[in-house]
Amino acid sequence: MTWDSGFALSLIPQLLAGLRITVEITVLGMLIALVVGLFVAVVRRSRIPVLSWLFGFYVQFVRGTPLLVQAYFAYFVLPDYGITFSPFLTGVIVIGINYSAYTAEVYRAGVEDVPAGQWEAATALSLPVPRTWVRIVLPQALRTSVPVLGNYLVQMFKDSAVLFAISVYELMGHVEAIGSDTYRYLEPVTIAAVLYLIVSLVASQLVRLLENRLALSR
Amino acid sequence: MSPDFWTFTAHLLWRGLQVTILVTVLGTVLALVTAFVAGLGRLSDHGPVRWIALAFIEVFRGTSLVAQLFFFFYALPAFGVRLAPMFAGVLAIGLNEGSYAAEIVRSAIGSRGVGQNEACVSLHMGKALRMRRVLIPQSIPAMLPPFGNVTVDLLKNSSLVSLVTVGDMTFQAQIVRNQFGNTTVVFAILLVIYFILSQLIALLSRWLERRFALDRDRRSAPEPRIRYAEATGGSR
Amino acid sequence: MSQIAQSQSAQSRETMISFANVSKSWGDNHVLRSLDFEIGAGEKVCIIGPSGSGKTTILRILMTLESPDEGLVTVAGGTLWDVKAGHKPRETKQMKATRRNVGMVFQQFNLFPHMTAVENVVEAPVRVLKLSKQEARERAVELLGMVGLQEHLQHKPAQLSGGQQQRVAIARAMAMRPKVMLFDEPTSALDPELIGEVLEVIRELAHSTDMTMLMVTHEMRFAEEISDRVVMFDQGVVVERGTPAEIFKHPTEERTRRFLRAVLER
């Protein structure tokens, strides 16, 4: 029993629909990750006694536990407390919060990597602190952060497959459905793998282009 | 929660923990081997070898790990190859993580500086000798911190083998949930156990880093430990 | 001038190194232009000249770290490079065999950081020359003693000063018993107070061995002291060559004079 091209072709519309959901999850999840991560990074940097430590621990904890288990936790536990989100929404929130632990670190590293001399020069020129942030520090921090964030975006795209386990009907979910219906896994899995590969290769190239563009504009 | 629940849960999670550790360890070994083979392949003098290594790395990095798991477990049977769930699981996560880790190997060895290569040429050491005796040994300290992260990643990815019927901790937690319906406690415990394991791996990694640091000896007093009385005494 | 040089006239010396019509460019930069020169066995030659003049390239071509675009290079009678214009230089068995006669000491020492001084010196003799560990170790201990590092055998490069590291590097290169030893600005990366100890070792080598030595250096007084011949190099060509007395006391070329003025007036 080997490759059935007719069968394979018939699957494409369905799998593309799944791919679309995957992309939606990735975009929304990344938005959450970027915003929440920024909040976490700011709180940690502000050094408010209990909160900073708490957020620090939160980052460690999220990074030290599997995404799948976090997803199960959210999916099975939240309803017990009266929170009923759709699987899609649960999935987006879980992956967004998971990646916020990583984006928070990217923000922190991005800011810390700006040479101390920049801050000193700004002080010597009597620039007010907010202006220093906006005009001097952030642009430089972004230059190093953006490519890394781009890589996380590509990674999230691939990690989103995990969410099929909590009934999110994205690309992998479609593959599983087709497989359990027809008992033919070879074609759907291979096509899905190729789709992941194409999108992530293209996206990685775009990130690299962006990185070069940012580096050139120094 | 009845005592039955706790005994049942403890018993299952303990079995699951053993499987999780086994999968993580086996996966790490496979990932290390893969990383070295692919990483050294990328540094080869032969174009075709470099290409094959690059293709392998791009394919295993670019496709989703879940898709790879499914491929090894569900799709290979179409070619008559039936892998045991554990085997398929370890294979997928090992090759996947190994292809990411290949970059660690490649860059650690590749960043040793051209001086080391030139010294080897001047001493007439061939490429194999150069790699084995000079470049790889001095690259190991640089590889340890990122490999610590690799192992933590493998621990987390090991949870995915539960999706292909391997009885790890996550799989067992599902069973508990089906049996007792009490999800918060079980999954909370699960998260905590994974967290503790990942912290332990991080500690172990830092210990290894300290042990292998190249300039470790700088801190000890530079007294000669062995006296060579018979050495050509002092002078020229 | 060394005893050995005095006891042999230049003509009776066999040729150890020869460059015939050797050219090398990096893009528009002609680093070597149809270079012809020869060095006799046992000669100690210093190459001086401004930076970027191609001095180091000569050494690197001899050590096959770079390839000439054109020309014939031989060492101890064997062909190292034989490149025709327009052809790609290739590594051959002949080249590898001939290369065995050459050793090199680098500006940046290039010691193996994960090995002790002894291990650095023992490695190549054991792995390449196939000496027994015992024999190689004896040779290493003797050489390290000769360069004054008998108290530092078990130290790693990180525990040694720059001057000590360079001396280990010299011992390591000597352990292979090359016929030709190349020195690429051996003291340029050293703090001033450490230069002397390295020059001392090189001076000893010049006086007590009949190894052919070719050194690129900025240490003019040292070059004057130990060389049989000095070659002044600039922009890819030999500007002038002669004995140390000729070059340093009575340079005939204006470029040589200008260079020496700039260097010696610091």
Side-chain angles (χ1 to χ4, degrees), chain B residues 116 118 124 133 228 236, chain C residues 60 111 114 123 137 146:
Chain B
Q116 293 292 299
E118 295 189 347
H124 317 298
R133 297 289 302 173
Y228 281 89
R236 305 169 262 111
Chain C
R60 290 175 67 82
L111 291 180
H114 58 299
E123 183 67 16
R137 201 187 163 83
M146 270 166 46

Side-chain angles (χ1 to χ4, degrees), chain C residues 81 132 148 185:
Chain C
W81 291 108
S132 72
E185 299 196 37

Side-chain angles (χ1 to χ4, degrees), chain C residues 39-192:
Chain C
I39 297 185
E43 266 202 280
K44 326 294 184 203
V45 178
C46 281
I47 307 181
I48 63 173
S51 305
S53 54
K55 322 194 291 291
T56 297
T57 309
I58 296 175
L59 297 191
R60 290 175 67 82
I61 285 180
L62 276 169
M63 198 68 249
T64 70
L65 298 174
E66 275 171 32
S67 57
D69 296 330
E70 186 184 353
L72 179 67
V73 180
T74 70
V75 177
T79 308
L80 191 66
W81 291 108
D82 183 4
V83 186
K84 308 277 188 288
H87 285 70
K88 225 167 119 61
R90 275 171 52 244
E91 247 198 33
T92 60
K93 262 196 167 159
Q94 166 75 57
M95 169 205 279
K96 289 194 204 175
T98 309
R99 182 170 63 192
R100 286 293 192 95
N101 294 308
V102 182
M104 187 158 171
V105 173
F106 298 90
Q107 190 176 346
Q108 301 295 339
F109 337 134
N110 293 337
L111 291 180
F112 302 140
H114 58 299
M115 296 184 182
T116 62
V118 157
E119 286 167 355
N120 258 279
V121 181
V122 155
E123 183 67 16
V126 167
R127 304 277 160 183
V128 178
L129 299 179
K130 309 287 192 218
L131 256 51
S132 72
K133 287 211 171 135
Q134 165 90 340
E135 247 189 294
R137 201 187 163 83
E138 281 167 12
R139 190 185 286 191
V141 170
E142 187 188 339
L143 285 167
L144 285 168
M146 270 166 46
V147 302
L149 291 172
Q150 60 279 5
E151 301 289 313
H152 299 274
L153 297 173
Q154 299 300 331
H155 289 163
K156 294 220 176 109
Q159 297 166 281
L160 300 172
S161 73
Q164 290 168 330
Q165 288 185 55
Q166 190 62 299
R167 288 189 270 154
V168 174
I170 294 175
R172 182 177 69 171
M174 291 295 295
M176 299 299 278
R177 306 246 169 105
K179 291 200 179 128
V180 174
M181 186 72 108
L182 308 173
F183 295 87
D184 183 9
E185 299 196 37
T187 58
S188 295
L190 295 176
D191 290 334

Side-chain angles (χ1 to χ4, degrees), chain A residues 1-3 57 60-70 72-73 76-77 80-81 102 155 157-162 164-165 172 175-176 185-187 189-190 192-194 196-198 200-201 208, chain B residues 58-68 70-71 74-80 100 152-153 155-157 159-163 170 174 177 181-185 187-188 190-192 194-195 198-199:
Chain A
M1 186 174 49
T2 44
W3 188 266
F57 181 76
Q60 286 266 67
F61 193 82
V62 167
R63 286 168 69 129
T65 49
L67 175 61
L68 177 62
V69 179
Q70 291 166 7
Y72 280 145
F73 188 85
F76 292 124
V77 170
D80 283 354
Y81 297 92
Y102 296 92
Q155 218 174 301
F157 172 75
K158 289 176 279 181
D159 273 351
S160 65
V162 165
F164 91 91
M172 221 55 214
V175 169
E176 217 244 339
Y185 281 91
L186 175 62
E187 289 87 354
V189 171
T190 310
V194 169
Y196 279 115
L197 185 60
I198 294 176
S200 65
L201 279 178
R208 234 169 288 171
Chain B
E58 288 298 311
V59 166
F60 273 91
R61 280 187 359 178
T63 58
S64 173
L65 174 55
V66 178
Q68 289 160 24
F70 269 38
F71 187 84
Y74 288 118
L76 276 188
F79 296 112
Y100 281 98
V152 172
D153 275 350
L155 171 70
K156 292 189 288 182
N157 288 337
S159 63
L160 293 177
V161 301
S162 64
L163 298 171
T170 310
Q174 297 272 60
R177 187 186 68 83
N182 209 317
T183 52
T184 324
V185 172
F187 283 103
L190 197 59
L191 282 171
V192 168
Y194 274 112
F195 181 63
S198 68
Q199 295 303 101

